[in-house]
Amino acid sequence: VWSLVRSFDQPQKYKPFISECTSRGDFKVGTVREVNVRSGLPATTSTERLELLDDEHRIFGVRIMGGDHRLRNYSSTITVHPETIEGRPGTLVIESFVVDVPDGNTTEETYYFVQYLINCNHNCLADVSEKIALHTNSSGQTNSVEW
Ligand code: A8S
């Protein structure tokens, strides 16, 4: 789960609304990525900056700097925690965000819009992580499969 969350250069690996991403591909704070959004949403592109990447504590932070969409001053933090869930080893992912309420929308509408996108991302994150785990051999290498 953490390896997907931390891959700043490839959010499309688990984010279902992102079609493409270009970035310099290093994982330093301040690195910028440009993402293209799939059609059907009130957005086409987003310019995003890596704010925090802490592998020891598994914390990942991104801030949106611009792009063709309505979420101004969006920034989010994700933390990933090993947990026992229903008696089985699992992963707890916590994501928090702040964003400006766009002109013409209410706080509630903005909250539900963002919450919807985050829920979709987290559901796909679970699916993709489980598929990768099933195809990872005991030495930790991923067998070649197209996701
Ligand atoms: C994320 C979280 C969000 C991304 C939103 C909320 C976005 O990529 C999409 C639609 C928009 O209207 C805004 O972690 C924006 O990706 C899917 C383009 C930023």
Side-chain angles (χ1 to χ4, degrees):
V1 175
W2 174 243
S3 72
L4 285 167
V5 168
R6 78 185 296 289
S7 55
F8 180 75
D9 57 338
Q10 292 182 304
Q12 71 277 17
K13 275 196 167 178
Y14 77 90
K15 292 185 180 186
F17 300 113
I18 303 303
S19 58
E20 286 177 296
C21 173
T22 47
S23 82
R24 286 207 319 271
D26 53 15
F27 293 88
K28 291 199 194 85
V29 169
T31 300
V32 172
R33 71 183 175 194
E34 196 72 47
V35 304
N36 290 346
V37 182
R38 288 188 195 283
S39 58
L41 289 165
T44 58
T45 61
S46 177
T47 308
E48 308 179 352
R49 181 182 190 271
L50 183 62
E51 296 287 307
L52 182 63
L53 179 59
D54 180 338
D55 281 307
E56 192 190 336
H57 302 102
R58 299 195 187 94
I59 312 172
F60 177 82
V62 168
R63 187 163 60 84
I64 295 183
M65 301 161 66
D68 171 39
H69 61 77
R70 306 193 65 225
L71 297 182
R72 295 294 142 229
N73 294 317
Y74 182 89
S75 92
S76 80
T77 305
I78 301 179
T79 58
V80 174
H81 311 263
E83 288 271 312
T84 301
I85 300 168
E86 289 163 7
R88 299 210 314 245
T91 306
L92 175 67
V93 174
I94 300 176
E95 180 155 7
S96 59
F97 67 91
V98 290
V99 68
D100 290 355
V101 175
D103 283 344
N105 286 104
T106 64
T107 302
E108 218 184 23
E109 286 164 346
T110 309
Y111 176 77
Y112 280 113
F113 178 66
V114 174
Q115 191 66 46
Y116 171 76
L117 296 174
I118 290 179
N119 274 341
C120 293
N121 285 346
H122 286 197
N123 288 333
C124 286
L125 176 60
D127 284 353
V128 176
S129 307
E130 280 170 17
K131 286 205 182 93
I132 292 175
L134 280 173
H135 290 93
T136 299
N137 63 35
S138 50
S139 23
Q141 281 158 340
T142 307
N143 300 330
S144 60
V145 168
E146 278 298 313
W147 315 117

